[in-house]
Amino acid sequence: MSKKLIVLFLGLVPLLCTCFSPDTPSDRRVLVLLDDFAIKSSHSIFFNNLKSRGFDLDFKLADDPTISLQRYGQYLYDALILFSPTIERFGGSIDAAAILDFVDSGHDLIVAANGNASDLIREIATECGVDFDEDSSALVIDHSGYAVSATEGDHTLIASDDFIKSDVILGSEKIKAPVLFQGIGHSLNPSNSLVLKVLSASPSAYSANPKSKLTSPPSLTGTSMSLVSVVQARNNARILISGSLSMFSNRFFRSDVQKAGSPTKHDKSGNEQFVTELSKWVFHERGHLKAVNVKHHKVGEVDEPAIYRINDDLEYSVEIYEWSGKTWEPYVANDVQVQFYMMSPYVLKTLSTDNKGYYFTAFKVPDVYGVFQFKVEYERLGYTSLSLSKQIPVRPFRHNEYERFIPAAYPYYGAAFSMMAGFFIFTAVHLYHK
Amino acid sequence: MAASDAPNGDVLIRNAFGSVLAFLILLLIGVLAFSIRLFSVIKYESVIHEFDPYFNYRVTQFLTKNGIYDFWNWFDDRTWYPLGRVIGGTVYPGLTLTAGTLYWFLHSLNIPLSVETVCVFTAPIFSAFASWATYLLTKEIKGVGAGLTAAALLAMVPSYISRSVAGSYDNEAVAIFALIFTFYLYIKTLNTGSLFYATLNSLSYFYMVCSWGGYTFIINLIPMHVLLCIVTGRYSSRLYIAYAPLVILGTLLAALVPVVGFNAVMTSEHFASFLVFIIIHVVALVYYIKGILSPKMFKVALALVVSIGLAVCCAMVAVIIALVASSPTKGWSGRSLSLLDPTYASKYIPIIASVSEHQPPTWPSYFMDINVLAFLIPAGIIACFSPLSDASLFAVLYIVLSVYFSGVMVRLMLVLAPAACILSGIALSQAFDVFTRSIKFQLPSLSDHSHIDARDASSEKVVLDDTIKTDKNEDTPKERMTKRSKKKEKEPVEKPPTKFQIKKRLSVLPFEASIIAVILLVLLVAFYVVHCVWAAAEAYSAPSIVLTSHSNDGLHVFDDFREAYAWLSHNTDVDDKVASWWDYGYQTTAMANRTVIVDNNTWNNTHIATVGTAMSSPEKAAWEIFHSLDVKYVLVVFGGLVGYPSDDINKFLWMVRIGGGVFPHIKEPDYLRDGQYRIDSMATPTMLNCLMYKLSYYRFVETDGKAFDRVRRTEIGKKYFKLTHFEEVFTTHHWMVRIYKLKPPKNRIRGKNKKSKSKTSSTTTSKRKGTRRNPF
C-alpha cells in the first residue's frame, strides 16, 4: 500500500510544485537573517513559536560573509526570514536575485521592513509585486485608528483590525484583538492576481513623514494602502511582506491594546495570533492541496483506456487532500469542477464528493473527435492552485461500429434488390423467350 | 509457290524472333527505368525524400505494424493538435497498401527487408511497370515499334524521374503507372470491344482512385474522348462497352475509397462522366431505332425523340445547374478550380497558391522536364492523324489536355510526361520506319532482300491493319447498316487504298536525306539520353533532407534537418507539441515523433492561419497563441547563414497572407516597405518585431559581427534584441534549424516601482517633490 502511495506521489510530483517533498510540504529548515542579534531576543516569542512547531531556525547576520542559500546547486534551506530591514548588501553570495531565485524555485519568504527600509529590501518587495512608499522617511499615520497608549505619540502606532476574510490564511479562529502595527505602508497593483492584502489600513490612514508638515496629498492613503500582504507565486511559493518589523516583536506581542475610539481594551494584542496564523499559512501548514489518483475509465470498466470513442460514457475521479501540518487530511468542498477540454471546454461538470477527499463524476464524451484534456483548474483564495491536465484522444467510430442496417433505408435496400431481380428476369426473358 | 512457303516460315520465325527481341528490350527498359532512379541511393543514402514521403512512410510503418483494419480506422492524435486527423479516411491508400503488400510478400518469402527499404524502392519498381504499361498503351495505338520507343522514352523522362527516384515515396510513384495502365485497358477495350477488358479497366481505375487525387483526370479525359468520338461519328458498340462499365463499376468502386466516398457522385469533377454517360445512351438508342425503322419513319421518330429529349435534357440541366450553383464553389474543389481558372488560387486560396508545385511552370522547366520530346510531340500528333483511329484520337486528346494542365501547375507536368513519351515514341518510330525503309529500298546490294523485306514489312502492316479491320469487321456490319449517310459508309472502304498510296509515296525518300535524317534522329535521342542521365544524377536525386554544396574547399554536407529532429526526439517529452510552419509537419511527426500543430496535409485552413498569425505577431501575442495550443517548442528554418533559400523568412509572406485571410488584424502591407519585402534596416517595424524575424535572427549578429544574411544578400535591420517569452534551446550546426522553447508564465508579477534605485536618486526625487511643492 505504501509502495503504491509512493508511486502515486512520484507521479504527482510534476503536478504539484517540485520543491516540496510530497509527503511534507511544510518547510523545515529556515534561515533567519538579522540586522543584529538583538532582534533574536527581542522577537524571541515569534522564533520560539516557530521552533516549537518543529522548524529548525538558523540565525545569521545579514552581512555575514559566510551565508549562502545553496551549495552544489542544492538549497540549504526551505524558507527564509528577512528581519533585516536596513541591510544594503547581504554578505556571502546572497543578493536580491539570489533571493528571488530562491522563491522561484518554490521556497517561502518572510520580509519585514520598517521605517528606514533599505533599497535592497524595497527591491525584493517590488519584485514580488509590493510597492513600498517611495518616500523613505514616510510612515503610516492614522489619526483615528491609532492605538491608545500612555504617551500621546504621533499616531504611527496603529491598531488595525481590517483583516482579509479568509479562514485559510488567518485560521478558522477569529483574531481576537487588533494588531499593533508601526512601519511603512505599501500599495499593490490591482491587476496583480497573485498578491493579497492581509491587513489593510483603515480609511483614515495615510503614509507620510510624521516629523514634517504635510504639504501635498500623500501618495498612499486609506484602504488602498496595505500594511501586511502575502504573495502566492505561480509555483505556490508563499511570501509574507510586512511593513513593520516590530509587529513581530515581543513588545507588541505582549502589549495591551485599545483602539482609539473603541471602549474595549484588550489585555493582549492580536499580534501573536495574527503572526502565528500567518506564518502557518506562509510555511504551508495550511491551505496546501494535493490531488492524487486522477482516474478515468469507461462506465463499467476499471482500466484507463488509451483512447476514447465519441459518445462513450466515462467516469472521472480524483482525490484531493489538504496538508494540515502533520498529515494529509481530506479536502472537502463542493465547487471542484472538471473540464473536458479541446481549445475550449466541451464539458464542464462539478465533481460530486464523498466528503473524504474523493471527487468523482460521470459524463458522455461529446460527439467531436480530437485530442481532449481532463482539466481541473482549482484556484481558491488562500489555497495552492491545483492545475491538473491529462491528455486523452477521442476517436471517431470505427468502420464496423456504425449500424449495419438503418430502418429508414429499407426502401432503398428494397429498390436495389428488386432492381437486380427485375434485371435478371428481364435478361432471362429477353434471351430465351422468343 | 514454294517461295511463298519459305517466306511464311520466315515470317513465323521472324515474328517469333521479333517478339523475343521485344521481350528482351522490354526487360532492359525495365532495368533501365529502375536503375536510372538509383542515383539518389548511390550518391546520398537510402533515405526517404522531401516532405510528403515521410508521411507516407509513417503510414506504411503503421500499416505493417497494425494491419489494414487499424490503418483504415487510424485516428492520428499526433498531428493537427488538438484536432487530430482521421488518417484512414483522408489519405489515398493506394501507395501505402502497395508498399505494405510488397513488404508482406517479401516477408512471407523470408526476405527481411525493412519497411524503409521497401518504401525507398517502391517508386523505381513502379516506374519500370509504368514503362511497360506505356509499351502496351502505345502498342494499342500505333504498334510494337512505337510502343517500344515510347516505353524507352518514358523509362527515363526527367519529369517522371523527378517524382520517382529511389526514396521519393509519393503517391505519384504508383499513380502514373495506374494512369497509363488504365488508359491502356480503355484503349484495349475500345479496340477489342471485350467486356473482360472493360472490367479490368474499372479495377485499374479503382487502383488509380486509391492512389492519387489525379484520378479526376481520367474520369474527365475518357468522357471527353467518348464525346469526341460520338461527335465525329465514330460511335460504335465497342465505345459503349469501353465506357459504360467504366462509369458504373468505376464510380461504385471509387466510392469505396474512404477519402473519395460520396465525392464520386457529388462533386463537379465527376459530372462530365455522368453527362456523357447519358449522352452515349441517347446515341445508342438513336442508332438502335435507326436500325429498326425505315428512313422515313426514322425521321418522324427523330423529330419526336429530339423534341422530347431536348425538353428532358433542358429540365435535367436546369436542375443540375441549380444544384451546382447553390454551392459557393460551384461544387468544385479549390484545386480543380485553380486548374480551370489559373488565377483562382492566387486570388482566393493562398494556401494552394503558396505551394511551389502549384505554380505555373516556366518555359525552361519544359525543356528540363521533357527535353527533346517537346519538339517531337507535334510530329507525333501528325502521325496520329494518319490514319486517325479511335485510339490515336485518344492520344491526341490526352496530349492536348495535359499540355494545358501542365501549363497551369508545375506538378501536372507529370501527367504530360507519359503523353509526351507516347506521342514522341509514335513520331520517332514512324520516322525511323520511313527512313529505314527508304534506305533499304535504295541500297543496291540489299535491293533484292529489301524488296521482300519491304513487302514483308508492308504485308506486316497489312496484317496489322487487317487484324484491326477484322476486329472492326466483327461488329461493323450492323454498324454500317445503321450509318446515316452513305458517304460515311464509303469512307472506311475507300480509305485504305489511299493510305497505301501515301505510304508508298513516302517510302521513297532520297537515300542521302534518309541517312542524314536517321543520324540526326539518333543524335537527338542520344542527347535526350544524356540529358536524362544528367537530370537523374544531378538535378533530381537530392533528397532535400540532406543538402550538399560544392565550394572551393570541397563538398559540404548540410545534415541540419535530421540533426534537429534527432535533438527533438532525444531531448523533449513524448507528448510535447512542436509548432512550425506546415512544411515541416510531416517530417517532425515521422522523424522526431513529436506532436505537431499543422502539417503538409493542409485540410484545416484556420489552424494553419493560427500558426501563420502567431509567426507574424509580436512576441507576446505569439506566445499567447502558442500557449493556448499547448505548444512547448517552436521550430524555424533559417537559411541566412549558409544561403539556403527555401527558409521560413522567404516563406514568411505566405504566413502573413494565410494568417491575414482568417485573422484580419494581420495585414500584408504592414510587412512591406513600399510594396517590397525586405528585412534590412528599411524594413517596417511590424516586420522587425514579428516572431518569425526574431526567432530567425536571434543572436545572428554573433556569427559574423555584421549579421549579413546570405539568402537576402543584405544586413539585417535589427541586430541586437532579446527574447522575453521564448528561449533558444537548440540551433543546428549550420543554423538551418532553430528550436525555441516557450518560457513558462512569470512566477511572480513585478510591482510598479522602478528597479534598483539608489538612495541618492530617491532623495533627489523627494527633493524634486520638495521643489514642486514650493510654489504652493
Side-chain angles (χ1 to χ4, degrees), chain B residues 712-762:
Chain B
R712 269 65 59 177
R713 306 200 165 279
T714 172
E715 274 186 37
I716 62 171
K718 196 160 133 190
K719 297 175 185 173
Y720 303 94
F721 55 84
K722 279 184 180 163
L723 296 173
T724 49
H725 295 90
F726 294 82
E727 62 179 324
E728 184 187 7
V729 286
F730 187 68
T731 295
T732 55
H733 186 223
H734 301 99
W735 286 51
M736 275 169 58
V737 185
R738 312 194 69 185
I739 301 170
Y740 292 83
K741 189 178 182 177
L742 268 76
K743 283 186 187 166
K746 270 200 174 153
N747 194 30
R748 299 162 280 105
I749 301 174
R750 258 195 106 245
K752 280 184 287 191
N753 280 3
K754 285 192 188 77
K755 211 177 173 182
S756 68
K757 264 196 298 175
S758 65
K759 203 147 205 175
T760 49
S761 70
S762 70

Side-chain angles (χ1 to χ4, degrees), chain B residues 59-308:
Chain B
V59 174
T60 314
Q61 272 182 319
F62 186 90
L63 172 71
T64 51
K65 210 191 277 172
N66 297 304
I68 188 160
Y69 281 105
D70 277 348
F71 164 57
W72 184 4
N73 291 302
W74 185 17
F75 173 72
D76 187 4
D77 56 344
R78 301 195 76 78
T79 61
W80 291 94
Y81 180 86
L83 306 169
R85 178 184 169 194
V86 187
I87 299 268
T90 57
V91 81
Y92 286 100
L95 176 73
T96 317
L97 291 178
T98 308
T101 316
L102 221 58
Y103 175 83
W104 282 320
F105 176 70
L106 289 171
H107 274 245
S108 67
L109 295 179
N110 288 327
I111 303 173
L113 287 180
S114 70
V115 181
E116 190 182 3
T117 315
V118 173
C119 294
V120 165
F121 291 103
T122 299
I125 291 171
F126 270 79
S127 46
F129 292 168
S131 45
W132 293 333
T134 310
Y135 163 75
L136 293 173
L137 174 58
T138 321
K139 193 182 114 189
E140 284 303 313
I141 298 173
K142 276 288 169 184
V144 181
L148 287 175
T149 324
L153 290 177
L154 185 103
M156 50 188 173
V157 64
S159 169
Y160 186 29
I161 285 180
S162 74
R163 293 318 194 89
S164 63
V165 290
S168 183
Y169 179 56
D170 211 345
N171 288 338
E172 289 92 330
V174 298
I176 292 302
F177 158 71
L179 180 86
I180 300 171
F181 197 66
T182 310
F183 286 154
Y184 157 66
L185 285 170
Y186 171 68
I187 297 296
K188 183 84 185 169
T189 323
L190 197 58
N191 282 346
T192 58
S194 148
L195 205 52
F196 170 69
Y197 282 114
T199 317
L200 279 189
N201 189 18
S202 307
L203 289 176
S204 171
Y205 173 68
F206 175 55
Y207 183 64
M208 177 69 192
V209 178
C210 279
S211 308
W212 196 32
Y215 75 91
T216 46
F217 183 67
I218 296 183
I219 206 62
N220 283 304
L221 178 63
I222 290 181
M224 275 178 166
H225 176 245
V226 171
L227 199 63
L228 198 62
C229 283
I230 291 171
V231 167
T232 54
R234 293 177 160 274
Y235 172 79
S236 64
S237 52
R238 287 173 290 109
L239 188 68
Y240 182 85
I241 289 169
Y243 185 65
L246 175 69
V247 172
I248 296 302
L249 283 180
T251 305
L252 282 177
L253 288 169
L256 291 182
V257 181
V259 62
V260 178
F262 278 106
N263 285 351
V265 284
M266 304 280 276
T267 58
S268 294
E269 281 91 340
H270 305 81
F271 272 1
S273 63
F274 300 128
L275 199 66
V276 173
F277 186 69
I278 295 169
I279 292 173
I280 201 172
H281 276 92
V282 171
V283 171
L285 190 69
V286 167
Y287 275 109
Y288 176 71
I289 292 170
K290 200 174 156 191
I292 56 171
L293 289 183
S294 65
K296 203 180 172 191
M297 283 293 284
F298 176 73
K299 260 183 193 164
V300 177
L302 190 71
L304 201 73
V305 165
V306 161
S307 52
I308 295 173

Side-chain angles (χ1 to χ4, degrees), chain A residues 86-326:
Chain A
T86 58
I87 189 74
E88 289 292 344
R89 177 166 293 144
F90 291 112
S93 59
I94 303 182
D95 55 6
I99 289 173
L100 294 167
D101 282 345
F102 181 72
V103 171
D104 287 344
S105 53
H107 300 92
D108 303 321
L109 175 67
I110 294 179
V111 181
N114 64 10
N116 45 4
S118 67
D119 285 338
L120 183 63
I121 297 295
R122 284 162 185 274
E123 189 192 330
I124 292 171
T126 303
E127 287 294 335
C128 298
V130 169
D131 298 317
F132 281 120
D133 191 348
E134 288 188 45
D135 189 350
S136 60
S137 50
L139 289 176
V140 182
I141 305 169
D142 191 342
H143 293 302
S144 63
Y146 60 93
V148 177
S149 60
T151 55
E152 185 65 26
D154 49 10
H155 296 169
T156 56
L157 179 64
I158 296 162
S160 175
D161 51 6
D162 195 358
F163 305 112
I164 189 171
K165 284 169 191 61
S166 165
D167 287 355
V168 193
I169 296 175
L170 291 180
S172 48
E173 214 170 313
K174 199 170 167 285
I175 306 286
K176 291 184 189 93
V179 169
L180 289 171
F181 180 94
Q182 186 168 35
I184 54 177
H186 56 257
S187 64
L188 310 174
N189 185 353
S191 66
N192 187 340
S193 57
L194 301 176
V195 61
L196 296 169
K197 245 183 251 180
V198 178
L199 185 65
S200 46
S202 75
S204 57
Y206 64 96
S207 174
N209 187 350
K211 292 187 181 68
S212 65
K213 255 190 138 181
L214 193 64
T215 49
S216 70
S219 51
L220 297 177
T221 53
T223 49
S224 72
M225 178 164 60
S226 174
L227 305 176
V228 179
S229 295
V230 291
V231 180
Q232 179 168 282
R234 289 209 169 89
N235 63 356
N236 292 333
R238 287 170 174 174
I239 303 162
L240 167 65
I241 295 174
S242 160
S244 163
L245 174 58
S246 42
M247 191 178 81
F248 299 88
S249 68
N250 297 354
R251 194 164 64 85
F252 278 27
F253 274 25
R254 293 200 189 112
S255 155
D256 51 10
V257 63
Q258 184 184 6
K259 200 174 173 181
S262 162
T264 51
K265 178 168 181 171
H266 301 274
D267 289 346
K268 197 164 169 286
S269 72
N271 283 37
E272 183 167 5
Q273 194 193 356
F274 177 71
V275 168
T276 307
E277 294 298 332
L278 209 49
S279 69
K280 276 186 186 166
W281 183 84
V282 170
F283 289 156
H284 287 272
E285 287 170 56
R286 201 166 45 225
H288 189 99
L289 300 179
K290 73 163 181 182
V292 292
N293 280 343
V294 180
K295 279 184 190 159
H296 57 87
H297 52 81
K298 278 187 210 168
V299 171
E301 290 178 19
V302 184
D303 293 331
E304 185 174 303
I307 190 165
Y308 281 109
R309 196 195 66 192
I310 54 172
N311 295 335
D312 268 349
D313 288 302
L314 63 83
E315 284 172 350
Y316 177 86
S317 67
V318 61
E319 289 170 38
I320 302 178
Y321 296 99
E322 184 185 2
W323 180 247
S324 69
K326 293 174 195 68

Side-chain angles (χ1 to χ4, degrees), chain A residues 402-420:
Chain A
Y402 293 98
E403 262 183 296
R404 174 132 305 183
F405 294 105
I406 313 166
Y410 273 102
Y412 301 100
Y413 306 143
F417 283 104
S418 64
M419 170 81 185
M420 284 190 246

